[in-house]
Amino acid sequence: MAYVITQTCCNDASCVAVCPVNCIHPTPEEREFATTEMLHIDPQACIDCGACADACPVEAIFPEDTLTPEQARFTELNAAYYTAHPTPDGWIPLTPTPAPPRDRGTLRVAIVGAGPAACYAAQELLERSDVEVEMFDRLPTPFGLVRAGVAPDHPGTKTVTDSFERSFRRDAFGLHLDVEIGRDLTHADLLDHHHAVIYAVGASADRHLGIPGEDLPGSHAATEFVAWYNGHPDYADRTFDFSGTTAVVVGNGNVAIDVARILTTDVDELARTDIADHALEALRRSNIREVVLLGRRGPAQAAYSNPEFLVLGDLHGVDVVVDESELELDPVSARTAAADPAVGLRMRLAREYAQTPPRPGRKRIVFRYLAAPTELLGADRVTGVRLVRTELVGGEDGTLVARPAGDHEDLPAQLVLRSIGYRGVPLPDVPFDEHRGIIPNTGGRVEAGVYVTGWIKRGPSGVIGTNKACAKETVAALLADFDAARLTAPPAGRRELTRLLASRRPNRVDLRGWQAIDDAERAAGRVHGRPRVKITDRAGLVEIGARRGPARLFRRLAPL
């Protein structure tokens, strides 16, 4: 019997480091790690010790004989990886022993952002005894996209924050929430109080379609919708029109699948999650019966991961619809599907969905491949999407490019959500690459004293755990600069920073303030049989976080 990694895998490779027989791949040192959908356990090499399951921060690893029927397919998924990537011979230490730090005093580092990339960087820094870390975020709550981006029906993925909170409790760590760099503190202020600054601010802007009608009411970025249903305070007042029966999502990555799932999942099931109350109320009144996902390329190039595609088949009362005629592959894609087990499985899953007849009375998630929008229709608001069929042709760089190839088709829709990627936004006094949407860097180093990690470093790629290896690289560059005396010692320290923050942002939320918010949300959740009831009002969050009467305030905010 072997252990099996399942759908909630976060890719942070905590399991890799503890495996005594090196049977979990790809490792962060392997080329495939940068693009893998999940990690995989070699069933032939696994010795059934369970160390990986104990180390997994999101509870994604189980003994094969305990898998539920819905999880059973992941046995095949794990084994298939080793068909194309046999376990390498020999043993290579996965985490080299770090050199003892030189005695250069205490290294002070500011981390801007409190999402996974920031938290992994803090964990890596705090491995050393000569480091103090101060973390800043403009929101009154930490964890970035884990709180405001991970779908509410994926609670296992959110448990990664447990390991982050353990780091927060270190004396060498300071948390400063509801503090915005550029408003409350400047880049120069950070460098006055720290040897180095790590920017881990993510990629908060969405990409645009650039087609007529994109700005009509009823057309939104999927990022707005995701933030809205997850209770992000900046998006709690948004409204979405669910009066029609059809919604179209432009894009077919994992975010697009999340959106489709939220729009079609039984609301009583969502009511057991931490979805925002305003979203739950609106979805109860929704008339949407069909969500169409548009992908300009073919099924072999679809941006979603196999685990996310697979679990759609387990949705209660929802059919997954694929047109079998759209599954014919061009020669290049056919060769890829034959050679790459992940692509081969993606095609088999698509064919299984295509061969399953729709059942009357059920909602539908429809995948449309080789289709691109050219215009959003409507005069005063969206009434439909005009599509054009595409075909794949070889590009100059050898990749397949989608180009228009067929007639137009008008698809009625009252709600259109674009999910075609994220991009970073510029920060005051920090270099920015407008074309790539990132802060330009080499291995995380912008210049001595200024560093980046996460999406603002590499672009919007990977999953939560991808940020761990990314942060390791950045922190290694920072520590190398510190040990080589390339960092300027700050003229002020933690005490002076505390005084500055007290004058600039007296009502900021610190660690105890976040714990008060967390306790209040969890307490309200227990009353309703939910993980938590999120507070979505920024002023309310700050009032609780500043510890000014949280019980009285939350009774006012909590649902009846």
Side-chain angles (χ1 to χ4, degrees), residues 376-413:
L376 300 190
L377 306 174
D380 300 321
R381 61 168 300 101
V382 170
T383 59
V385 181
R386 178 158 293 165
L387 315 177
V388 64
R389 299 297 299 169
T390 62
E391 65 177 1
L392 297 178
V393 296
E396 293 182 0
D397 59 356
T399 61
L400 290 173
V401 177
R403 70 178 184 188
D407 296 332
H408 284 85
E409 170 189 351
D410 290 347
L411 180 65

Side-chain angles (χ1 to χ4, degrees), residues 443-456:
R445 182 189 289 109
V446 181
E447 59 187 45
V450 182
Y451 306 85
V452 286
T453 189
W455 282 4
I456 198 65

Side-chain angles (χ1 to χ4, degrees), residues 480-550:
D481 287 345
F482 179 62
D483 290 337
R486 289 191 286 265
L487 302 183
T488 302
R494 176 170 276 184
R495 183 177 301 175
E496 292 81 5
L497 176 67
T498 300
R499 285 200 292 263
L500 180 63
L501 284 168
S503 67
R504 300 266 187 92
R505 198 67 176 169
N507 291 331
R508 69 191 182 280
V509 176
D510 59 12
L511 177 58
R512 286 199 300 160
W514 157 242
Q515 289 169 339
I517 293 170
D518 188 39
D519 289 346
E521 290 184 339
R522 290 179 184 271
R526 284 193 292 272
V527 173
H528 299 277
R530 301 170 63 185
R532 68 173 68 236
V533 173
K534 286 181 177 175
I535 304 164
T536 61
D537 172 63
R538 180 185 282 267
L541 287 164
V542 172
E543 188 167 351
I544 292 178
R547 299 184 299 283
R548 297 198 305 271

Side-chain angles (χ1 to χ4, degrees), residues 56-81:
C56 179
V58 295
E59 301 177 357
I61 306 177
F62 301 94
E64 183 180 354
D65 63 353
T66 67
L67 296 177
T68 65
E70 293 78 16
Q71 294 172 325
R73 197 69 177 266
F74 287 95
T75 301
E76 173 191 352
L77 210 60
N78 279 245
Y81 177 82

Side-chain angles (χ1 to χ4, degrees), residues 268-475:
D268 289 336
E269 294 183 25
L270 291 177
R272 296 193 288 269
T273 73
D274 67 354
I275 190 171
D277 283 342
H278 57 250
L280 194 63
E281 181 181 352
L283 289 168
R284 283 194 184 280
R285 301 191 301 269
S286 172
N287 292 324
I288 291 175
R289 304 290 300 173
E290 178 179 82
V291 181
V292 182
L293 281 70
L294 303 180
R296 60 188 176 84
R297 296 190 294 173
Q301 295 82 26
Y304 51 72
S305 67
N306 280 333
E308 292 296 327
F309 194 41
L310 173 61
V311 299
L312 286 179
D314 299 322
L315 287 181
H316 175 69
V318 179
D319 282 327
V320 180
V321 178
V322 174
D323 187 336
E324 196 158 14
S325 67
E326 296 181 358
L327 301 183
E328 297 180 10
L329 296 180
D330 61 274
V332 174
S333 299
R335 288 194 296 271
T336 301
D340 187 333
V343 178
L345 177 59
R346 184 175 305 157
M347 293 304 304
R348 289 199 301 277
L349 291 173
R351 291 189 181 99
E352 289 176 12
Y353 288 137
Q355 292 165 5
T356 302
R359 287 154 285 190
R362 295 168 68 97
K363 295 180 181 178
R364 294 156 44 102
I365 296 176
V366 181
F367 286 84
R368 293 287 304 272
Y369 304 104
L370 297 170
T374 60
E375 181 181 357
L376 300 190
L377 306 174
D380 300 321
R381 61 168 300 101
V382 170
T383 59
V385 181
R386 178 158 293 165
L387 315 177
V388 64
R389 299 297 299 169
T390 62
E391 65 177 1
L392 297 178
V393 296
E396 293 182 0
D397 59 356
T399 61
L400 290 173
V401 177
R403 70 178 184 188
D407 296 332
H408 284 85
E409 170 189 351
D410 290 347
L411 180 65
Q414 296 75 36
L415 176 66
V416 176
L417 300 166
R418 64 181 182 274
S419 181
I420 56 173
Y422 301 80
R423 59 178 282 113
V425 296
L427 296 168
D429 304 318
V430 181
F432 190 71
D433 183 333
E434 286 285 355
H435 176 69
R436 300 177 62 196
I438 64 170
I439 295 174
N441 67 95
T442 302
R445 182 189 289 109
V446 181
E447 59 187 45
V450 182
Y451 306 85
V452 286
T453 189
W455 282 4
I456 198 65
K457 167 188 173 182
R458 66 182 192 273
S461 62
V463 293
I464 288 172
T466 311
N467 293 297
K468 186 172 185 176
C470 182
K472 280 179 175 286
E473 180 186 53
T474 294
V475 170

Side-chain angles (χ1 to χ4, degrees), residues 77-149:
L77 210 60
N78 279 245
Y81 177 82
Y82 293 92
T83 303
H85 309 284
T87 300
D89 294 329
W91 169 258
I92 300 174
L94 299 170
T95 306
T97 303
R102 299 179 184 180
D103 185 10
R104 296 194 182 279
T106 299
L107 167 64
R108 285 187 47 76
V109 180
I111 300 178
V112 180
C119 291
Y120 280 124
Q123 286 182 329
E124 191 70 16
L125 284 163
L126 292 168
E127 290 295 313
R128 288 177 51 137
S129 60
D130 63 342
V131 176
E132 288 181 348
V133 174
E134 309 288 347
M135 183 178 287
F136 304 86
D137 198 280
R138 69 178 190 86
L139 291 176
T141 56
F143 307 133
L145 285 180
V146 178
R147 178 178 170 96

Side-chain angles (χ1 to χ4, degrees), residues 189-202:
D189 289 332
L190 295 177
L191 289 176
D192 282 344
H193 295 80
H194 306 86
H195 291 82
V197 181
I198 299 176
Y199 286 98
V201 294

